[in-house]
Amino acid sequence: MTTYSRRATRTLLLALSAAAVASTLSAAPAATAATGLPALSWQPCAQDGGPVDQECAKLPVPLDYRDPDGPQLTLAVSRLRSDRPEARRGTLLMIAGGPGGSGVRRLAQKGAALRKEMAGAYDIVSFDPRGVGKSTTASCGLDEGDRHLVTLRSWPGQDGAIADNLARARRVAEACHRNGGAELRSFTTANEVRDIERFRRALGEEKLSAWGSSYGAYVGAVYAQKYPRHTDRWVLDSSGDPDPARVARGWLANMSAGAESRFPDFAAWASDAARDEKGLRLAQRPQDVRPLFLALTAKLDREPRQSDTPDVPLTGNRLRQALQNALYGDNAFPQVARLIKQAQDPHSTPVLTPDVAGALSDQDAAVTMAVICNDVRWPAPAASSYERAVAADRARYPLTAGMPVNVTPCAFWKNAPVEKPTRITDRGPSNILMVQSLRDPATPYFGALKMRKALGDRARLVTVEHGGHGVYLGNGNACGDREVTTFLTTGGRPARDIYCAD
């Protein structure tokens, strides 16, 4: 009898909750209709390992906003509705990184944790930017060998040679021009920002709150600059230097110093006696890990090792790329330490993880390059200038071997940028919270300080004593997580910039 009563009560509560949700959403079609946009038709789309109630819809956006009634593209958009409608205060947008990150996938990965933190305060939404996932994509028609991360990133050859990089960069740019079409040319930060504004209107929201990570933080900053009156509580997580003259070119170049600042974390981990148990200790002292790594990559430059993946040898550059990937998060330290151990052992076959051994899809490779090449003009492809830059960077930052300043397909890009990048300024509401790791290999702290300076009194900065890329709900820093959650749920923001030790 007691069991039956509990079930009956639970059924009644679920029914009332469903009715409340329906009531909350009932005004959405009318609001959407008032914007002149078609109503979003939400359908269940639970992802592997994600929340069971994730929903997806399709949003039409103009191929070219100068011709809003012309050809249309389709964006895949997704949401998790508030599980406490009585506490709902608005909509929170997750902006994925990249370029090329999938917001639909990120919502599946982080949605449950974020929903728990928000305690019903928001419907949580995200989207696949044009070129990504189930949104309209484009193709460059690249050979598989040109779609590996270790070739998309222009790692120089042995002793800093860049002839192969120049040839590949030209080949890739020509293929993208030949095959990408108007869709590829439309993949820009400016259009992603316009797409977010169209999404806001389709949702029927006067304002959005947001959490943008990495490249998504830059997109969020540009949106806040362009549409300040439509921003509510705005979080920029792991920001790069917003210098409009350089944008992604500057972000890439800054990765040299970023890797150097982060590497001591790995060296301390890899020399800790606790690694002996699993055979992952690389040296007795932290200061010995760096020369060990540099000597090993130089040897692999000369004598690549056959790996467990057919036709994909372990080269010095693949090991460098493996380290670069691992520096993003401490949880990846074991896999790169294991690979280093295998590379040292002449009787072992190195096992390459998919991010090092595999190739991106042609669509993913296309959007990754297109956004950074379409946003801003890159230096002309003069071999001598790139050779000098690579040589100087290799000498100063040997861990990245000159890759961050090397030639890319953008140097040979056929189409000039349609518009100039947005300059981030201090004009607008003071409703931005920045959160930043002190030792970030991808968006180094000194670049984030330039974003902080550009925003002026619009922002507050939470500096986290940690290494890695991506702070909120990502690296376990309780203080940093608490500051972001408090801001998003209550609006409470530090009166001044603060430092989180743990």
Side-chain angles (χ1 to χ4, degrees):
M1 186 66 173
T2 303
T3 303
Y4 176 82
S5 298
R6 287 176 178 169
R7 287 178 179 171
T9 301
R10 183 173 180 272
T11 301
L12 176 60
L13 290 173
L14 287 172
L16 290 172
S17 177
V21 170
S23 174
T24 301
L25 298 174
S26 62
T32 302
T35 68
L37 298 175
L40 295 170
S41 178
W42 296 103
Q43 304 293 328
C45 67
Q47 313 285 305
D48 288 345
V52 296
D53 56 342
Q54 185 170 349
E55 297 176 299
C56 293
K58 297 291 186 181
L59 173 67
V61 297
L63 172 65
D64 185 343
Y65 276 90
R66 295 170 298 184
D67 182 17
D69 297 321
Q72 303 286 299
L73 306 181
T74 299
L75 295 189
V77 300
S78 190
R79 75 174 177 186
L80 288 174
R81 291 187 289 184
S82 167
D83 53 358
R84 293 179 56 202
E86 73 282 359
R88 182 185 180 275
R89 64 171 305 274
T91 295
L92 173 63
L93 172 70
M94 295 175 64
I95 312 174
S102 166
V104 175
R105 187 183 310 122
R106 184 164 177 79
L107 186 57
Q109 294 168 340
K110 294 288 188 179
L114 184 58
R115 173 187 265 174
K116 181 179 179 181
E117 292 292 315
M118 295 301 101
Y122 298 97
D123 291 343
I124 305 169
V125 302
S126 194
F127 66 103
D128 284 350
R130 52 179 75 192
V132 177
K134 294 187 177 180
S135 294
T136 300
T137 60
S139 171
C140 288
L142 302 181
D143 292 337
E144 181 180 340
D146 290 336
R147 291 187 275 110
H148 285 248
L149 191 54
V150 77
T151 50
L152 284 171
R153 298 272 177 91
S154 290
W155 291 97
Q158 186 175 346
D159 300 323
I162 69 167
D164 288 347
N165 302 129
L166 286 162
R168 179 178 292 110
R170 182 189 297 275
R171 180 170 68 245
V172 168
E174 290 175 348
C176 290
H177 179 70
R178 185 168 59 248
N179 301 315
E183 290 81 6
L184 189 77
R185 292 192 292 275
S186 80
F187 298 167
T188 66
T189 297
N191 278 337
E192 181 167 341
V193 166
R194 295 184 182 104
D195 291 345
I196 290 174
E197 173 61 7
R198 191 173 178 90
F199 190 19
R200 178 196 66 79
R201 292 169 53 209
L203 290 166
E205 295 284 4
E206 178 60 27
K207 292 185 176 184
L208 292 174
S209 292
W211 169 30
S213 302
S214 190
Y215 169 68
Y218 174 68
V219 173
V222 175
Y223 183 92
Q225 188 71 36
K226 291 288 190 180
Y227 303 101
R229 70 183 185 90
H230 294 305
T231 61
D232 187 7
R233 297 170 184 172
W234 219 247
V235 175
L236 306 182
D237 183 341
S238 305
S239 299
D241 181 356
D243 179 0
R246 289 163 58 83
V247 196
R249 182 164 63 90
W251 304 335
L252 184 60
N254 289 346
M255 291 174 71
S256 298
E260 292 287 342
S261 71
R262 170 65 164 150
F263 187 80
D265 293 338
F266 173 69
W269 181 94
S271 58
D272 192 311
R275 310 301 156 224
D276 280 330
E277 183 179 350
K278 294 188 177 181
L280 297 179
R281 192 179 188 188
L282 300 181
Q284 298 297 308
R285 304 178 304 166
Q287 59 265 39
D288 295 331
V289 177
R290 179 187 174 93
L292 178 155
F293 179 81
L294 294 176
L296 181 58
T297 52
K299 181 178 180 180
L300 290 170
D301 284 340
R302 301 186 301 269
E303 304 169 8
R305 291 280 307 276
Q306 181 58 51
S307 76
D308 67 320
T309 305
D311 302 319
V312 182
L314 176 59
T315 62
N317 282 338
R318 285 194 189 274
L319 185 55
R320 293 182 183 101
Q321 185 61 64
L323 174 68
Q324 187 75 29
N325 296 351
L327 294 179
Y328 278 51
D330 293 6
N331 60 351
F333 285 177
Q335 69 186 36
V336 75
R338 188 173 296 109
L339 183 59
I340 290 170
K341 280 287 192 180
Q342 292 166 348
Q344 290 176 310
D345 182 356
H347 304 294
S348 176
T349 299
V351 177
L352 302 183
T353 52
D355 58 319
V356 177
L360 276 66
S361 71
D362 195 44
Q363 290 78 14
D364 287 347
V367 69
T368 297
M369 291 180 295
V371 174
I372 65 173
C373 296
N374 288 333
D375 269 5
V376 67
R377 186 181 292 278
W378 289 55
S384 59
S385 64
Y386 281 105
E387 286 170 345
R388 288 193 297 272
V390 165
D393 212 56
R394 284 171 64 87
R396 187 176 184 186
Y397 304 112
L399 291 173
T400 46
M403 177 274 292
V405 299
N406 200 4
V407 67
T408 72
C410 302
F412 296 94
W413 213 245
K414 302 297 182 182
N415 299 100
V418 173
E419 55 196 309
K420 293 181 179 179
T422 297
R423 181 175 293 278
I424 305 302
T425 74
D426 59 359
R427 295 189 297 274
S430 184
N431 62 354
I432 297 172
L433 183 69
M434 295 177 59
V435 59
Q436 189 79 24
S437 171
L438 196 59
R439 298 180 301 282
D440 188 320
T443 52
Y445 189 67
F446 63 83
L449 291 179
K450 293 182 179 180
M451 176 71 84
R452 174 68 184 89
K453 181 178 180 180
L455 289 168
D457 197 50
R458 296 184 67 188
R460 299 291 183 271
L461 173 63
V462 177
T463 298
V464 172
E465 172 54 64
H466 205 279
H469 185 55
V471 178
Y472 186 51
L473 303 183
N475 69 15
N477 184 279
C479 170
D481 286 354
R482 183 171 59 251
E483 291 296 334
V484 174
T485 295
T486 298
F487 173 60
L488 289 175
T489 55
T490 72
R493 194 181 66 161
R496 60 186 62 85
D497 295 352
I498 66 170
Y499 178 83
C500 281
D502 53 32

